[in-house]
């Protein structure tokens, strides 16, 4: 049975991080830790939440072909270390939690990658962003505008899951994975 490269995306505030955490608790998965040039948020841990690196180091890694995918948004770079994914796929299903442009790049690198977009029920995203309390009102507005762009890519995904109920959404994702492992 071949291991899966699961690429999970969705706009800020839809609960994709929580869904990925629940999936990790329930199975034998490797989570790809991305590199970023953005500053750490309260509670984030270098090497677990992200690898927080300088812009200069990130650009050098791009030149060396060291990312499976990378992108720049909100004035910061984000990228998936290629070597980690390749090493982990040998023995685990690997989960990438990345934005849509990166997901589409990953699909080009690994055509068998399974693209999964998580979306919030209509009207719920703004409140979820406010409730998490990590962004200013201005930042929330930027993220809402970014969501429109990200959602325009949803037809390029293999699966779209509405996170209207966390337990049900996780169960739907687990069922998709089980079905793919049977093929």
């Amino acid at each position: 049975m071949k291991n899966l490269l699961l690429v999970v995306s969705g706009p800020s505030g839809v609960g994709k991080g929580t869904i990925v955490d629940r999936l990790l608790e329930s199975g034998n998965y490797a989570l790809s830790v991305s590199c970023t040039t953005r500053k750490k948020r309260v509670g984030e841990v270098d090497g677990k939440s992200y690898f927080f690196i300088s812009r200069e180091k990130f650009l050098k890694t791009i030149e060396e072909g060291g990312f499976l995918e990378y992108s720049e948004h909100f004035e910061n770079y984000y990228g998936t270390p290629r070597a980690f994914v390749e090493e982990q796929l040998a023995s685990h299903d690997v989960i990438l939690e990345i934005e849509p442009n990166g997901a589409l790049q990953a699909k080009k690198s690994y055509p068998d990658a399974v693209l999964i977009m998580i979306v919030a029920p209509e009207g719920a995203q703004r409140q979820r962003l406010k409730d998490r309390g990590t962004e200013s009102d201005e930042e929330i507005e930027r993220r809402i505008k970014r969501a429109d762009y990200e959602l325009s890519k949803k037809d390029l995904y293999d699966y779209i899951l509405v996170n209207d109920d966390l337990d049900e959404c996780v169960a739907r994702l687990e069922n998709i994975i089980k079905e793919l492992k049977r093929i």
Side-chain angles (χ1 to χ4, degrees):
M1 182 168 9
K2 186 176 180 181
N3 290 316
L4 300 173
L5 177 58
L6 305 166
V7 182
V8 179
S9 304
S12 294
V14 298
K16 63 188 172 294
T18 302
I19 290 167
V20 166
D21 288 345
R22 294 276 296 272
L23 195 62
L24 290 168
E25 292 170 5
S26 69
N28 185 27
Y29 301 98
L31 178 64
S32 180
V33 178
S34 295
C35 295
T36 185
T37 60
R38 79 160 169 75
K39 297 201 182 308
K40 277 194 283 187
R41 292 180 184 148
V42 174
E44 289 183 325
V45 177
D46 187 45
K48 184 174 179 181
S49 308
Y50 286 95
F51 294 109
F52 295 95
I53 64 174
S54 70
R55 188 175 187 90
E56 294 74 23
K57 183 173 181 181
F58 198 103
L59 294 172
K60 184 173 187 209
T61 305
I62 291 172
E63 289 175 17
E64 295 169 347
F67 290 117
L68 173 64
E69 59 76 34
Y70 68 91
S71 65
E72 182 181 18
H73 60 101
F74 300 122
E75 301 173 10
N76 292 295
Y77 281 101
Y78 296 81
T80 302
R82 180 181 300 277
F84 176 83
V85 171
E86 292 171 350
E87 289 169 11
Q88 294 301 311
L89 276 173
S91 58
H92 297 86
D93 292 325
V94 177
I95 301 172
L96 304 182
E97 184 185 337
I98 54 178
E99 56 82 42
N101 289 336
L104 297 173
Q105 287 178 42
K107 184 79 167 179
K108 284 182 184 176
S109 296
Y110 287 88
D112 291 339
V114 179
L115 302 185
I116 303 157
M117 182 170 281
I118 308 295
V119 299
E122 187 141 350
Q125 183 187 13
R126 182 181 309 278
Q127 189 60 48
R128 288 180 180 181
L129 287 170
K130 285 183 178 184
D131 289 348
R132 103 177 158 184
T134 58
E135 289 91 9
S136 67
D137 288 343
E138 181 180 287
E139 181 68 17
I140 289 171
E141 290 308 313
R142 286 179 45 197
R143 290 184 183 274
I144 294 293
K145 287 178 185 172
R146 173 74 183 178
D148 292 338
Y149 168 76
E150 292 181 1
L151 292 173
S152 75
K153 303 292 184 189
K154 70 181 179 184
D155 292 340
L156 300 172
Y157 278 67
D158 301 305
Y159 299 93
I160 301 166
L161 297 175
V162 177
N163 184 13
D164 48 356
D165 177 277
L166 179 62
D167 292 333
E168 288 179 21
C169 190
V170 171
R172 288 191 303 265
L173 182 52
E174 288 174 330
N175 287 334
I176 289 167
I177 293 166
K178 285 177 190 172
E179 186 61 35
L180 290 169
K181 296 292 263 184
R182 281 184 259 229
I183 296 174

